[in-house]
Amino acid sequence: MVPTRRAARSDTPHATTDRRRRGARLWWASVAAMALLVPATAASASPLTPDPSLRASSGITNMAGAQIPPQAMPENKPRLVAQFQVEIDNVTGGAIEHVALDGKRTVLGHVQRPATATVEANDGFWASKYSRAVDGTAGHLLATSVYVLRSKVWPEESYDPLRYENFDPATGQRDWTTSLLNIRPDRYIDADHGNWLADTIYTDIRGGSGIFGGKSSLPTGSPLSYFDEARQSWLPIAEHFRRDPNAAPPRRLRFTAYRPVVRNSSPTYLEFENWAAGDTVAGRTHARNGGIYVGYAKGEKSRVADVVQRVEGTGRFGGTEFAQVGQMDTNHPGALTFSTSPYVGFSWDENVRGGFQIVPANHVKFLSNDLGQNSFIDRPQWLIVGPVGSDRQRLRDDRYIIDGAPSFSPGWEAIAPVFGMYARTTFDPGNLSESTYFEVSYDYGKTWHPSPELVGVHAPDTCQAATCPQNWTNIRVHLVYPDGP
C-alpha cells in the first residue's frame, strides 16, 4: 500500500482549530524535579552560567498521569549540561547566531522574512501536545528537522489523553491546541511564491546544515526564551503569550541546547531488533518482540522498549529530500524519520524522497482510531514502539483506553531516548563519527552496513533485492552531541 500524502507528512500541521484552554495544570506539580544548568539572562554575549535556584523536571513528556517506562528511567532523569545557544533576531536581515559557552558568537545565517504570528497545530500534528521543555517550561523546540524547526509557544496546560476516549473529531470540541512558531531553511521563501506563512521565520540557511542538520542542530526539548525589553532580561516564551495568546512573536528569540548525561556519559547509539513476536526474519521465527536498546561507549547496553511492528519498506516522507542517505530527517515526540534518498536539497518532485519512520504505539492508535487518520498499522514503512512486554495484538484493538489507561502502558510518546532529547539531525558525510545516522544488519548484528539507497515507495512485494528493508534484522542509530557551530 502506498503511503498517502497525509500519512507521509503526519508531522506537518496545515490547518487550524479553535483555541480552548480549560483545565489548566501546573507542570511542576506532577513530576520530580532536578537541578539544571541554565543560560544567563543578560542580552549580551555573556557566558552560560549555572542557576542553582532553578529546578526542572526530568524528561520531556507532559502527558498527564503518564508513567515513564521504568527501563528508560535513567535516560529520562539525566544530568543536563548546557552546551550552546542559538539566538534569532526576528526581523528582515536579522542575524541567526550560535553562542558558545564563553559568549563567542558565530553568525549561521540571516532572516529573510520574519514571523509575525503563530499558528495552531492541526490534528495531523497531534504529537505537538505531548512535550515540554527540559527545564519544565512550556515553550520549547518541539520538532528538530533538516527542513523545519517547530516550536511550541503556548499553552502552559498539560495534555490528558484520557479525556479523549470515544472522542468524535467531527462533532467534539477539544480543550486546547498547540500554538506553533516555525523556522524554515532557504528556498522556502521562493517556493511559497509570495504566499508566505505568517507563523514562519524564513532563513537563508541551507536545509540539512547549520541549525537544520549541522553542528548547531538543536535537540527536542530545548527551552525557548525571548528578550523582554521592558525588563531587560530573557524570559520563557510562554510569558510573552500569557497576556495575549494571539500576540505576534517577539523580536529576539533564544534556544538553549543541553547534552544529557547518564551515569557520567551520554548514550552513543540506539538499536532496534527489527521484528515483533511471530515474525520470520532472515530464516528465524521469533516468539517474542525484538528489543530496543540504548548503548554507551564503555559497552553498557540496556533494553528500554519493544518493537511491536517491524519496518519492511520505505515511503515518500516529506523532508527526506534534504537529508543524506542514513541521516535522521526529523525527531519529535511522535516520530523519528530517517532518509534513504541520495537526493539532497529542495525539490518539488516527491519521487526524490525516500525513508521510513519510527513511531510510538499509542500515538499510532489515537491517530488511527480516534482521529480517523490513515493508519500506520500493518503498513511496511513504519516501525512501531511499545513498552517492554507489549502485546502486538493490542494494535488491532481499536480501543485507545483499556481498563482506564492508554492501551500500551507505559506509553512512549515524548519519552527519551527514542522520542526526545537525544537524537539530533547532525550529519557530516565526510565524518560519520561526528554524525547521527543509521546503519543496518542483515545477520543479527554480526556485521553492519550503510543504509541502502531507496527512493519512493518500497514494500516486500515490490522490493526484491537482498538489501531491501524486509531483510534488515537490526537497525542501529549512532548518536552525537555537537557543541557547534
Side-chain angles (χ1 to χ4, degrees):
M1 184 178 294
V2 177
T4 64
R5 291 172 66 93
R6 178 174 63 179
R9 295 179 179 177
S10 62
D11 63 340
T12 306
H14 297 288
T16 61
T17 55
D18 292 336
R19 185 191 311 269
R20 294 172 178 86
R21 296 180 285 115
R22 298 193 300 266
R25 295 176 176 83
L26 292 177
W27 296 51
W28 48 263
S30 60
V31 284
M34 61 174 288
L36 177 68
L37 291 176
V38 296
T41 57
S44 63
S46 56
L48 297 178
T49 55
D51 181 355
S53 67
L54 182 65
R55 306 287 292 179
S57 306
S58 309
I60 65 169
T61 183
N62 77 337
M63 292 178 63
Q67 296 179 342
I68 292 176
Q71 296 86 353
M73 189 66 74
E75 286 72 32
N76 282 274
K77 289 184 173 291
R79 178 170 60 90
L80 298 175
V81 179
Q83 291 186 279
F84 63 92
Q85 294 167 330
V86 170
E87 292 187 11
I88 300 173
D89 189 9
N90 184 35
V91 295
T92 301
I96 302 169
E97 297 179 292
H98 172 281
V99 183
L101 292 178
D102 61 3
K104 179 182 178 181
R105 292 178 175 266
T106 302
V107 176
L108 303 173
H110 293 86
V111 174
Q112 292 181 313
R113 186 178 177 86
T116 58
T118 59
V119 65
E120 292 181 336
N122 73 345
D123 288 346
F125 196 24
W126 195 262
S128 63
K129 300 181 185 297
Y130 298 149
S131 70
R132 57 174 168 74
V134 295
D135 66 358
T137 58
H140 67 288
L141 184 66
L142 179 67
T144 188
S145 172
V146 294
Y147 71 115
V148 64
L149 302 183
R150 302 197 189 281
S151 296
K152 176 179 181 177
V153 299
W154 186 259
E156 296 176 289
E157 291 94 333
S158 293
Y159 162 64
D160 183 356
L162 301 187
R163 294 185 195 175
Y164 296 105
E165 184 178 10
N166 301 319
F167 178 77
D168 182 355
T171 60
Q173 293 183 341
R174 297 187 178 84
D175 293 327
W176 57 268
T177 190
T178 305
S179 292
L180 303 173
L181 179 65
N182 299 301
I183 307 171
R184 290 282 194 183
D186 69 344
R187 291 296 306 275
Y188 270 89
I189 194 168
D190 298 324
D192 282 347
H193 296 297
N195 296 316
W196 298 300
L197 300 175
D199 58 85
T200 298
I201 298 174
Y202 293 88
T203 78
D204 60 6
I205 300 173
R206 182 171 52 85
S209 69
I211 58 176
F212 300 105
K215 292 183 179 180
S216 295
S217 66
L218 294 156
T220 57
S222 296
L224 175 57
S225 56
Y226 77 103
F227 188 71
D228 187 297
E229 296 290 346
R231 298 165 66 176
Q232 286 293 293
S233 63
W234 290 94
L235 302 173
I237 190 71
E239 293 195 22
H240 175 77
F241 293 97
R242 191 176 293 156
R243 293 183 296 272
D244 178 8
N246 296 310
R251 172 169 175 170
R252 301 180 65 182
L253 302 168
R254 172 191 277 177
F255 294 98
T256 302
Y258 295 93
R259 177 171 61 89
V261 176
V262 182
R263 307 184 192 94
N264 298 317
S265 64
S266 300
T268 56
Y269 68 89
L270 301 173
E271 186 174 328
F272 300 79
E273 294 178 333
N274 191 32
W275 65 83
D279 288 337
T280 300
V281 187
R284 298 184 193 175
T285 299
H286 297 273
R288 297 181 179 180
N289 296 329
I292 300 173
Y293 299 86
V294 58
Y296 293 82
K298 293 184 179 181
E300 302 97 327
K301 178 180 177 181
S302 60
R303 186 169 185 161
V304 295
D306 272 13
V307 173
V308 294
Q309 176 177 293
R310 69 187 305 255
V311 65
E312 299 182 89
T314 61
R316 300 185 187 95
F317 291 96
T320 52
E321 69 270 28
F322 286 94
Q324 306 275 347
V325 174
Q327 185 176 5
M328 189 181 77
D329 164 329
T330 299
N331 182 4
H332 70 59
L336 290 180
T337 310
F338 291 92
S339 174
T340 59
S341 167
Y343 187 90
V344 181
F346 181 86
S347 176
W348 287 112
D349 185 2
E350 289 188 336
N351 292 314
V352 303
R353 299 172 179 172
F356 66 95
Q357 276 192 342
I358 297 172
V359 289
N362 287 328
H363 182 58
V364 168
K365 292 193 65 174
F366 195 86
L367 293 180
S368 300
N369 301 322
D370 289 70
L371 299 183
Q373 297 188 11
N374 202 356
S375 178
F376 306 154
I377 301 168
D378 294 327
R379 302 185 68 189
Q381 293 83 14
W382 283 272
L383 184 151
I384 300 178
V385 176
V388 172
S390 294
D391 179 0
R392 67 182 296 180
Q393 295 307 314
R394 286 214 166 185
L395 289 175
R396 281 81 183 172
D397 187 332
D398 62 7
R399 294 175 298 169
Y400 178 72
I401 305 299
I402 300 176
D403 297 328
S407 56
F408 288 86
S409 185
W412 264 89
E413 295 88 334
I415 296 292
V418 182
F419 299 108
M421 208 188 310
Y422 289 78
R424 305 185 186 183
T425 55
T426 301
F427 191 89
D428 181 352
N431 187 0
L432 290 181
S433 67
E434 294 296 323
S435 302
T436 291
Y437 69 101
F438 82 93
E439 56 185 355
V440 299
S441 177
Y442 305 94
D443 55 11
Y444 293 94
K446 293 179 182 178
T447 60
W448 293 94
H449 307 271
S451 165
E453 296 183 3
L454 295 165
V455 178
V457 177
H458 293 279
D461 59 343
T462 60
C463 190
Q464 303 300 324
T467 55
C468 291
Q470 68 265 27
N471 298 317
W472 300 350
T473 62
N474 302 67
I475 303 166
R476 179 171 284 189
V477 180
H478 295 270
L479 304 173
V480 293
Y481 310 89
D483 292 324

